[in-house]
Amino acid sequence: DAGVTQSPTHLIKTRGQQVTLRCSPKSGHDTVSWYQQALGQGPQFIFQYYEEEERQRGNFPDRFSGHQFPNYSSELNVNALLLGDSALYLCASSLSRYNQPQHFGDGTRLSIL
Amino acid sequence: AQTVTQSQPEMSVQEAETVTLSCTYDTSESDYYLFWYKQPPSRQMILVIRQEAYKQQNATENRFSVNFQKAAKSFSLKISDSQLGDAAMYFCAYRGSNNAGNNRKLIWGLGTSLAVNP
């Protein structure tokens, strides 16, 4: 039973570029959440997707956008990259019913030069 | 707004000994979940233990147990018989239990780095 998988593992971009990160949820999960974890910090909630719609959003600018596909996989897009976007991006999946805990992938390390 | 505070940036413990990591939180809600996650250098956030606020009994998972003090809004993690593999960052997290609005996201502390000495 595959857990949460994220790709790519590591990515290097320059300021102003755009990036797309991908996440496949754990089998049976229907909800995907994205978090940004800066070095030495706890994760910060970006947004959550359920039934292909953004259900909740954290305090992130519109440069951060996402999508969920019918198979529940998800993408995180970041436009006009800034140096401050350098972080570990974590994807978590869960089952929307029964308040189940979130399961995390290994993350994508994004470095902005 | 809910907040989570971990006041110990770093802790260390001798192998086979017991260590307690502290976490306090602030909320006006009466029903919620609390979690401890472990993040080793491999980066994956691994769920260690969770506590439902309406349950008075403290959660336990093998060598891991919590001391949940709802009135004091305290949620500490005790690791017994510490092993070298326990070395990691430990994060305390809060989530409301209502499946609507702001209660779905996890709110995190800054983490505690645990070193296990042989």
Side-chain angles (χ1 to χ4, degrees), chain A residues 4 8-10 33 35 37 40-45 48 55-58 88 90 94 96-109, chain B residues 6 31 33 35 37 39 41-47 50 52 89 91-92 95-111:
Chain A
V4 180
T9 304
H10 193 182
S33 302
Y35 294 84
Q37 186 180 16
Q41 303 291 315
Q44 296 292 317
F45 176 74
Q48 184 180 82
R55 186 161 65 173
Q56 189 181 2
R57 188 180 183 92
L88 178 67
L90 295 167
S94 57
S96 62
R97 294 181 299 170
Y98 312 126
N99 280 306
Q100 292 298 302
Q102 296 180 6
H103 294 255
F104 286 80
D106 288 345
T108 294
R109 172 74 65 190
Chain B
Q6 294 179 250
D31 198 14
Y33 291 88
F35 305 86
Y37 279 89
Q39 188 178 41
S42 64
R43 309 184 318 197
Q44 185 180 22
M45 201 71 79
I46 302 166
L47 177 65
R50 82 167 181 170
E52 295 149 330
M89 282 292 290
F91 289 95
C92 178
R95 195 190 81 200
S97 68
N98 191 332
N99 259 341
N102 289 330
N103 289 335
R104 297 190 183 98
K105 65 181 180 182
L106 286 168
I107 299 168
W108 302 78
L110 291 179

